[in-house]
Amino acid sequence: MTQKELSQLLKSMSIEEKINQLLQLSGSVYEETGVITGPVAQMGFDQNNMPAGSVLGIVGADKLKKIQKEYIEKHPHRIPLLFMADIINGYKTIFPIPLALGCTFEPELAEVSAAIAAKESAVSGLHVTFSPMVDLVRDARWGRVMESTGEDTYLNCCFAKAFVAGYQGNNVMDKDKIAACVKHFAAYGAPTAGRDYNNVELSERTLRDDYLPVYQAAIEAGCALVMTSFNTLNRVPSSGNKKIMREILRGEMAFEGVLISDWAAIEEMVCHGMAENRKEAALRALEAGVDIDMMTPCYTGNLKNLLEEGSITEKLLDESAMRILQLKNKLGLFENPYKDADSKEEKRWLLCQEHRESARKIASKSFVLLENENILPLKKEGEKLAFIGPYVENKWIYGAWSIFAEEKDCVSIKEGIIKKIGVTPATFALGCDVLDEGQKIADFASHVESKMTYKERESHLKDAVEAAKTADKVILALGEHAAQSGEAASRAEIRIADGQMKLLERVYEVNKNIVVILFSGRPLDLREVKKYAKAILVVWFPGTEGGNAIADVLFGDFNPSGRLAMSFPYSVGQIPVHYNEFSTGRPYKETEGTRFGSKYLDIPNEPLYPFGYGLSYTSFEYSRVIIDNTKLSFGGYIKASVQVKNTGEYEGEETIQLYIQDVSASVVRPVRELKGFQKVLLKPGESREIVFGIEEMMLKFYNIDMNYCCEPGLFKVFIGGDSRTQNSAQFYYE
Ligand code: BGC
């Protein structure tokens, strides 16, 4: 449709019809049973009265086509429904969780995974995914760090763009493409004390320097939707925050697409205490420019009244309704309301070999080797290996958001190992459960808990110790339960379960050659694990091909190359801990030996494993940083370079990281900030010159007057293999 036709359509719609476009309901109301239950029933809707303009959370080509057909037939203007869902790290073929993708330092892989997720979702009838989540995360207690690509603004910007490009391609109307929804605007990733849904307090400078650029990157990449966040930002709930939605998002950031509330977030303004009732909440949200009310009757129950009493204008309502119509039009739904939904294509593409191969490769690239005392890689022959732990046969290694994935489609570690080396050289044992006795965690649909009795626990532990006794090496697959991260899964103690620690200690008593494979949705406190393990390989939640990818890395068919996108704290007491902190007036190094330095008495300042860190089976050597000009002039460009050499025995990939420090400015600047990275594959003995261009825009920040600019002065350039590198040069910007 042309814009003119859309305007005519809007003109011909009744007030009720326009308001209905603004409601989103959960797809469960359309499930075949015809019985309306749960929140939708409580909202007063029934099968004959489902006024939504969009639905979320249902999938399947035939099912969605049927719903669409019936809906359009009933609709006075034959306006199609929008189908949306949370496709976070894949639809049926599951990729590593976003935090793991961040660790690849290869945004191209996020684009590939998003394109595959889009294709699988599109043929199953979806139009929109609630992804990417680009919230900057610095607190590992928050369960949703798994949905982010980590603690760094620049890295997250690169990934945000890549996700959007993968989902949307050049045009969301194209075959196999779906619209992306960047979330959660704004600053949801900074809840106080890491507790989900908690309030966020950020200075405007921090918000603008660190948090907003990532949403901006997604918007500049053409992201069709933005989702509001649950949190308050400096005491104002996002869904009613006119300043951030109208002034910043729509005004400064020039976002023209659909703004959708998070689940029930409009109504939650009542709980927050910023609205007395649903009516006031609806008023606040519409005034802020929130177009879609997800899962509450705030808009449908109140906008008409608000209009009639003159509290809102029809123009305001029209603006939102138009944006929704425009999105439907952008997707081509007026001409083809089914878009790519096709059950034959579902059979062909979902979990096809090509998608599985990508998932395997991407998973192996996301693993981070934290420790390796000459124990990895394993040998395919001549070593007696015992694979022990609750993750050896576990197939729920998808992460919290993989709501459409099925356990049966996953390759477990055991299956991956047997495929690689056959059954004979290895033994397998459970050892313990993921959760401890009595531990019960509410999950999305129900809850998870350990069903193992005390007797069973003792017997599994005994078997595991027996298996460990006779092995040359023990590979212990441990970690968090998938339900221990994700939404509403904050943790104050970020360690593996006591039962798993006990298993590790008991195995250590009989065999010191331990490799720990760690499953997790967040950085964990690994101090204890580190004491017992000769190698630690973090595999996050690796997805459908996890077992194969782990086997590839363990046996050296793939040399690990992942780098931490989020620091692993030494202990919870340091949190938030991130590499780009600010200098204090009493840096610890300078005051060492005296009482009055910025330090803890009981733990170090540094995280256990810092941002950008990760080992390889080979080693790399860096030359000193060479800078081609010590002066960067206005509008100019200088080059910083290093020679990187593979000094080990394996071919391997190195991630060369460029950090810049603004040594002195009108406000205190971070000790360093990531401004570039490159990955190179080097053969043993091979070396390569790596060149980074440095230009003005890389030096910009919000200065003392809140101007976004760069200030003249001294800058340091660091180039190395992680955020601690001291390999540096300096230049003046003038
Ligand atoms: C989450 C969103 C998600 C939405 C829809 C909310 O609880 O915060 O990230 O997209 O549900 O499922």
Side-chain angles (χ1 to χ4, degrees):
M1 270 194 203
T2 61
Q3 181 55 38
K4 202 168 157 209
E5 287 167 321
L6 284 179
S7 301
Q8 276 160 0
L9 172 62
L10 186 69
K11 245 191 197 154
S12 67
M13 288 162 70
S14 65
I15 296 290
E16 285 82 0
E17 272 179 73
K18 288 179 191 173
I19 295 173
N20 290 350
Q21 286 300 312
L22 275 54
L23 174 67
Q24 174 157 114
L25 286 180
S26 143
S28 57
V29 291
Y30 294 96
E31 302 286 4
E32 326 259 298
T33 64
V35 181
I36 312 270
T37 55
V40 179
Q42 286 155 26
M43 285 159 68
F45 300 127
D46 61 43
Q47 210 90 38
N48 301 312
N49 168 29
M50 287 184 302
S54 57
V55 293
L56 84 152
I58 37 168
V59 289
D62 288 342
K63 191 201 284 178
L64 298 198
K65 273 165 108 171
K66 184 165 171 271
I67 294 171
Q68 187 73 294
K69 186 165 177 288
E70 287 170 7
Y71 181 88
I72 294 174
E73 278 166 7
K74 278 195 223 154
H75 195 282
H77 287 94
R78 304 183 65 78
I79 298 177
L81 268 174
L82 271 171
F83 294 114
M84 311 194 182
D86 290 278
I87 306 301
I88 308 300
N89 45 312
Y91 168 54
K92 287 290 179 187
T93 305
I94 303 300
F95 291 87
I97 55 171
L99 186 58
L101 285 176
C103 295
T104 65
F105 275 68
E106 227 176 307
E108 301 79 12
L109 300 179
E111 186 170 339
V112 169
S113 72
I116 290 174
K119 187 182 187 99
E120 292 193 357
S121 311
V123 298
S124 282
L126 288 175
H127 306 140
V128 175
T129 173
F130 297 131
S131 173
M133 181 187 108
V134 303
D135 303 315
L136 190 75
V137 292
R138 290 171 169 176
D139 190 329
R141 291 171 297 183
W142 193 48
R144 300 195 79 166
V145 302
M146 60 143 305
E147 293 173 59
S148 163
T149 46
E151 75 186 37
D152 184 68
T153 306
Y154 175 74
L155 185 67
N156 288 5
C157 284
C158 299
F159 274 96
K161 287 186 221 157
F163 277 116
V164 175
Y167 291 129
Q168 297 194 162
N170 295 325
N171 186 344
V172 285
M173 201 190 284
D174 289 348
K175 197 164 158 12
D176 298 334
K177 294 298 161 199
I178 56 175
C181 173
V182 62
K183 64 190 189 185
H184 306 81
F185 196 76
Y188 182 40
T192 301
R195 200 181 75 219
D196 205 5
Y197 315 129
N198 206 359
N199 58 305
V200 172
E201 295 278 326
L202 286 180
S203 73
E204 185 167 359
R205 180 168 284 113
T206 304
L207 178 72
R208 287 183 180 276
D209 263 339
D210 302 347
Y211 286 78
L212 294 186
V214 200
Y215 306 102
Q216 176 86 65
I219 290 165
E220 280 170 12
C223 194
L225 298 93
V226 170
M227 186 184 286
T228 71
S229 56
F230 288 127
N231 56 284
T232 59
L233 176 60
N234 300 331
R235 325 272 165 103
V236 185
S238 298
S239 303
N241 193 333
K242 227 166 145 180
K243 182 175 158 69
I244 63 159
M245 296 306 174
R246 291 228 179 244
E247 274 180 40
I248 298 182
L249 179 67
R250 299 264 185 220
E252 294 176 29
M253 293 165 90
F255 175 62
E256 290 176 350
V258 168
L259 177 60
I260 184 171
S261 81
D262 201 346
W263 180 290
I266 295 183
E267 184 162 344
E268 285 176 16
M269 272 189 271
V270 177
C271 274
H272 277 298
M274 205 181 89
E276 220 173 287
N277 47 35
R278 285 175 175 169
K279 188 174 167 192
E280 198 184 345
L283 174 66
R284 298 253 174 275
L286 199 75
E287 279 178 337
V290 181
D291 301 318
I292 298 183
D293 175 359
M294 189 196 287
M295 283 304 287
T296 84
C298 289
Y299 277 2
T300 44
N302 297 292
L303 290 187
K304 195 156 179 230
N305 280 348
L306 286 165
L307 256 175
E308 283 165 1
E309 65 187 41
S311 304
I312 54 167
T313 59
E314 193 166 345
K315 187 171 164 275
L316 207 58
L317 172 65
D318 281 0
E319 268 176 30
S320 287
M322 176 52 87
R323 283 195 282 261
I324 296 162
L325 295 180
Q326 280 169 336
L327 176 59
K328 293 183 177 185
N329 192 42
K330 228 177 167 179
L331 285 152
L333 300 184
F334 289 105
E335 290 76 25
N336 176 14
Y338 309 115
K339 200 169 180 292
D340 306 326
D342 185 332
S343 54
K344 273 199 215 113
E345 295 281 289
E346 277 181 305
K347 284 195 191 87
R348 176 165 171 213
W349 292 109
L350 306 188
L351 286 156
C352 67
Q353 197 48 36
E354 190 187 323
H355 293 182
R356 279 184 173 275
E357 275 162 23
S358 284
R360 178 172 181 164
K361 180 177 138 209
I362 294 173
S364 40
K365 287 198 154 200
S366 73
F367 301 161
V368 186
L369 185 64
L370 297 180
E371 300 282 345
N372 188 17
E373 287 171 34
N374 289 322
I375 188 168
L376 287 178
L378 305 172
K379 295 190 185 74
K380 288 181 189 159
E381 282 166 23
E383 278 183 342
K384 210 160 165 232
L385 303 171
F387 290 84
I388 297 172
Y391 271 106
V392 169
E393 291 193 51
N394 197 328
K395 285 179 173 246
W396 197 250
I397 52 175
Y398 294 144
W401 261 121
S402 304
I403 40 188
F404 305 112
E406 290 175 75
E407 214 164 323
K408 67 170 177 48
D409 297 322
C410 180
V411 181
S412 69
I413 292 189
K414 183 173 176 181
E415 288 164 343
I417 299 299
I418 290 177
K419 222 185 279 167
K420 176 118 2 223
I421 60 167
V423 79
T424 28
T427 50
F428 301 91
L430 180 66
C432 65
D433 219 346
V434 181
L435 295 177
D436 284 330
E437 207 173 343
Q439 224 181 334
K440 191 170 169 178
I441 302 167
D443 207 354
F444 280 27
S446 61
H447 68 269
V448 291
E449 66 182 311
S450 170
K451 298 244 163 60
M452 226 181 248
T453 62
Y454 176 77
K455 229 171 128 191
E456 284 165 344
R457 281 173 197 277
E458 288 302 300
S459 134
H460 284 303
L461 188 59
K462 199 166 153 256
D463 292 349
V465 173
E466 282 310 309
K469 264 184 198 160
T470 52
D472 296 317
K473 291 176 182 170
V474 183
I475 299 87
L476 272 174
L478 309 173
E480 282 191 308
H481 193 287
Q484 284 179 298
S485 60
E487 187 173 347
S490 297
R491 299 182 68 194
E493 303 290 349
I494 48 174
R495 296 192 300 254
I496 58 171
D498 291 347
Q500 295 191 41
M501 252 340 275
K502 185 170 165 188
L503 173 68
L504 176 55
E505 286 162 12
R506 293 285 296 278
V507 165
Y508 183 81
E509 281 166 16
V510 298
N511 194 328
K512 308 265 180 293
N513 290 322
I514 297 176
V515 174
V516 167
I517 302 174
L518 190 78
F519 289 77
S520 179
R522 57 157 60 78
L524 294 175
D525 171 350
L526 293 181
R527 273 174 300 168
E528 290 300 309
V529 173
K530 187 175 184 264
K531 280 187 203 160
Y532 300 102
K534 282 199 172 156
I536 304 176
L537 181 71
V538 178
V539 297
W540 309 107
F541 286 107
T544 311
E545 287 288 318
N548 281 331
I550 290 168
D552 289 342
V553 169
L554 286 181
F555 291 98
D557 290 336
F558 186 85
N559 188 351
S561 60
R563 299 306 173 91
L564 293 180
M566 193 175 177
S567 312
F568 272 53
Y570 184 87
S571 87
V572 167
Q574 292 180 320
I575 289 176
V577 60
H578 49 99
Y579 80 93
N580 44 1
E581 59 176 2
F582 299 96
S583 300
T584 67
R586 296 187 175 187
Y588 178 53
K589 279 189 196 85
E590 286 164 28
T591 53
E592 208 167 355
T594 78
R595 183 178 180 88
F596 301 102
S598 178
K599 65 172 191 303
Y600 300 99
L601 292 178
D602 47 358
I603 58 168
N605 285 357
E606 285 73 38
L608 196 59
Y609 302 105
F611 176 84
Y613 170 83
L615 301 172
S616 159
Y617 294 152
T618 190
S619 50
F620 299 97
E621 210 175 76
Y622 282 71
S623 72
R624 292 193 49 197
V625 179
I626 307 288
I627 208 151
D628 73 343
N629 195 334
T630 52
K631 286 193 172 53
L632 174 64
S633 46
F634 184 72
Y637 174 89
I638 57 174
K639 283 186 196 162
S641 57
V642 284
Q643 284 285 337
V644 181
K645 186 174 182 192
N646 181 343
T647 49
E649 284 162 21
Y650 295 86
E651 181 178 78
E653 237 174 346
E654 171 71 341
T655 303
I656 298 107
Q657 299 158 43
L658 167 80
Y659 296 89
I660 298 182
Q661 180 192 10
D662 187 347
V663 177
S664 152
S666 61
V667 294
V668 174
R669 307 280 295 121
V671 292
R672 61 177 63 186
E673 288 179 302
L674 184 73
K675 292 293 174 185
F677 53 87
Q678 292 180 38
K679 280 180 88 166
V680 280
L681 182 68
L682 296 176
K683 292 197 167 32
E686 191 183 348
S687 77
R688 183 98 42 96
E689 187 189 24
I690 305 295
V691 184
F692 289 99
I694 298 175
E695 47 192 356
E696 246 169 21
M697 46 80 76
M698 295 159 89
L699 314 180
K700 286 191 168 177
F701 67 105
Y702 283 89
N703 76 355
I704 188 81
D705 302 317
M706 286 308 282
N707 289 326
Y708 189 61
C709 62
C710 34
E711 292 179 341
L714 178 65
F715 288 82
K716 266 191 181 173
V717 179
F718 299 86
I719 303 180
D722 68 48
S723 61
R724 286 175 311 197
T725 179
Q726 291 304 326
N727 192 19
S728 69
Q730 59 184 45
F731 69 89
Y732 281 89
Y733 170 68
E734 39 181 49

